[in-house]
């Protein structure tokens, strides 16, 4: 099954596919599109940014275009993919409130489990998607974008509940967390201090730390974890040297990244690279 919508005036792409799409990820590669993988009756075994993950049945996995995906054990799935021209996550965040949680959050691999009630809701939404993809008229694009907005909103709500973020959508704490996570995503390669992000958010570093206390993570820890994630991606999936990677993530002196990397992984970047198994 492959159903696709293309808008040539904007280069927008939206498509729904099944497990045959996963064949192209037998070798690890970036998804290049915003991607939802919805598992059905059996689990799917994947590797995401070198992290092995088993996505249990009746779950939705959300991936950004920059994440590396490898399929180890495929199964029956429904896959939704779209590019930023179809639905710009940042521009539409005031509608769906997903930036910093569902996408570019402090949890790098968001997985949402659907109970029976939610399964029925998503199945109904899927049927409407299919119907709309077969309806060729001048409002098809807008209808598909509205449906994707609904899909994202529902997924984000469930992920918030799972992570204990039960405040309302306008909660200052949740909004602060989302804004911080997205700012880190935009600036982590050059800005490593909490003070920078606090200034961007018109908060003091202490206020940020107090708001993040319930997550058992400090703002500095989130910044460092994002740097380490990027360094690992580059070490695993590129031929760049540790020195080149250090420069790419904002360290003039490679020893600074080495110390941070070793603190988080107990290995230097060079040792981490040496012990990598060849990617099948």
């Amino acid at each position: 099954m492959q159903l696709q919508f293309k808008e040539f005036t904007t280069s927008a792409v939206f498509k729904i596919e099944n497990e045959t799409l996963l064949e192209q990820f037998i070798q690890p590669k970036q998804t290049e599109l915003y991607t939802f993988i919805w598992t059905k009756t059996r689990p799917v075994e994947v590797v995401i940014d070198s992290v092995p993950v088993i996505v249990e049945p009746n779950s939705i996995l959300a991936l950004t275009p920059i994440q590396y995906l490898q399929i180890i054990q495929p199964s029956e799935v429904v896959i939704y993919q779209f590019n930023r021209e179809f639905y710009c996550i940042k521009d539409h965040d005031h509608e769906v409130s997903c930036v910093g949680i569902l996408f570019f959050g402090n949890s790098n691999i968001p997985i949402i489990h659907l109970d029976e009630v939610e399964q029925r809701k998503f199945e109904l939404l899927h049927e409407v998607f299919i119907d709309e993809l077969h309806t060729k008229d001048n409002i098809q694009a807008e209808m598909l974008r509205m449906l994707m907005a609904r899909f994202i909103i529902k997924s984000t709500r469930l992920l918030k509940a799972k992570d204990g973020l039960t405040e309302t959508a306008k909660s200052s704490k949740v909004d602060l967390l989302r804004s911080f996570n997205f700012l880190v995503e935009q600036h982590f390669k050059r800005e490593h201090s909490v003070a920078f992000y606090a200034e961007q958010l018109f908060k003091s570093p202490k206020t940020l730390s107090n708001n993040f206390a319930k997550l058992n993570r400090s703002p500095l820890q989130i910044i460092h974890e994002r740097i380490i994630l990027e360094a690992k991606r580059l070490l695993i999936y590129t031929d760049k040297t540790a020195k080149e990677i250090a420069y790419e993530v904002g360290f003039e002196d490679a020893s600074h990244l080495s110390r941070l990397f070793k603190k988080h992984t107990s290995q230097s970047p060079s040792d981490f690279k040496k012990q990598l198994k060849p990617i099948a």
Side-chain angles (χ1 to χ4, degrees):
M1 174 191 73
Q2 183 188 56
L3 294 172
Q4 183 165 276
F5 164 82
K6 284 188 175 182
E7 190 175 53
F8 293 103
T9 56
T10 64
S11 300
V13 173
F14 169 73
K15 54 187 176 180
I16 298 179
E17 301 204 36
N18 61 14
E19 56 275 7
T20 57
L21 176 71
L22 300 181
E23 294 174 2
Q24 64 183 275
F25 293 100
I26 292 174
Q27 298 292 334
K29 71 172 194 171
Q30 286 181 307
T31 61
E32 298 179 351
L33 299 169
Y34 288 97
T35 301
F36 289 103
I37 300 177
W38 177 7
T39 59
K40 293 298 187 172
T41 57
R42 292 188 297 159
V44 175
E45 188 178 346
V46 300
V47 176
I48 301 166
D49 291 329
S50 81
V51 178
V53 177
I54 295 177
V55 188
E56 297 297 338
N58 303 311
S59 298
I60 295 175
L61 166 68
L63 297 169
T64 66
I66 63 174
Q67 288 180 288
Y68 282 83
L69 173 66
Q70 182 181 16
I71 300 300
I72 306 300
Q73 182 61 51
S75 184
E76 180 189 5
V77 296
V78 173
I79 300 171
Y80 301 85
Q81 289 191 309
F82 61 93
N83 60 6
R84 68 180 304 277
E85 288 78 16
F86 174 77
Y87 197 90
C88 180
I89 296 298
K90 181 180 178 182
D91 290 350
H92 289 275
D93 189 59
H94 64 285
E95 301 169 1
V96 296
S97 299
C98 70
V99 168
I101 294 180
L102 184 65
F103 296 115
F104 308 116
N106 61 62
S107 174
N108 298 315
I109 308 174
I111 300 175
I112 307 131
H113 181 72
L114 306 179
D115 61 23
E116 289 186 8
V117 173
E118 294 300 335
Q119 288 173 46
R120 288 195 295 271
K121 291 178 182 178
F122 276 87
E123 289 286 1
L124 287 171
L125 184 55
H126 179 71
E127 289 177 13
V128 181
F129 264 124
I130 298 299
D131 180 64
E132 203 54 49
L133 281 165
H134 285 106
T135 304
K136 310 293 185 182
D137 60 21
N138 60 0
I139 61 170
Q140 184 189 31
E142 189 58 31
M143 284 294 293
L144 288 170
R145 289 186 175 99
M146 289 171 59
L147 290 170
M148 179 47 64
R150 181 169 176 79
F151 189 102
I152 291 171
I153 289 169
K154 288 177 66 62
S155 299
T156 303
R157 284 175 176 169
L158 291 171
L159 190 60
K160 282 181 180 179
K162 172 190 169 186
D163 291 345
L165 301 174
T166 55
E167 295 93 343
T168 64
K170 294 299 182 182
S171 163
S172 58
K173 286 187 178 180
V174 172
D175 283 347
L176 185 61
L177 169 65
R178 297 193 318 104
S179 297
F180 179 82
N181 285 337
F182 193 54
L183 278 172
V184 170
E185 186 64 32
Q186 292 175 296
H187 301 289
F188 75 91
K189 290 185 178 181
R190 289 294 172 262
E191 301 293 344
H192 301 168
S193 72
V194 175
F196 168 83
Y197 298 98
E199 183 179 354
Q200 296 295 307
L201 295 167
F202 304 102
K203 303 288 183 182
S204 70
K206 184 176 180 180
T207 298
L208 279 184
S209 296
N210 290 340
N211 277 277
F212 282 46
K214 65 176 292 185
L215 301 174
N216 296 319
R217 276 182 178 177
S218 69
L220 185 60
Q221 185 179 359
I222 291 173
I223 297 167
H224 285 173
E225 286 177 353
R226 185 62 186 89
I227 294 169
I228 298 302
L229 173 62
E230 193 68 17
K232 283 183 175 180
R233 280 178 180 162
L234 295 170
L235 286 165
I236 294 167
Y237 299 114
T238 75
D239 294 325
K240 293 183 178 181
T241 66
K243 185 175 181 180
E244 289 171 329
I245 291 169
Y247 183 76
E248 185 160 334
V249 295
F251 292 96
E252 293 290 341
D253 188 337
S255 66
H256 293 164
L257 175 62
S258 184
R259 284 196 295 270
L260 179 64
F261 197 93
K262 195 166 186 176
K263 179 180 177 182
H264 282 259
T265 69
S266 301
Q267 294 178 296
S268 69
S270 298
D271 289 341
F272 179 84
K273 182 81 171 180
K274 288 175 186 175
Q275 59 87 43
L276 288 174
K277 296 179 181 179
I279 297 171

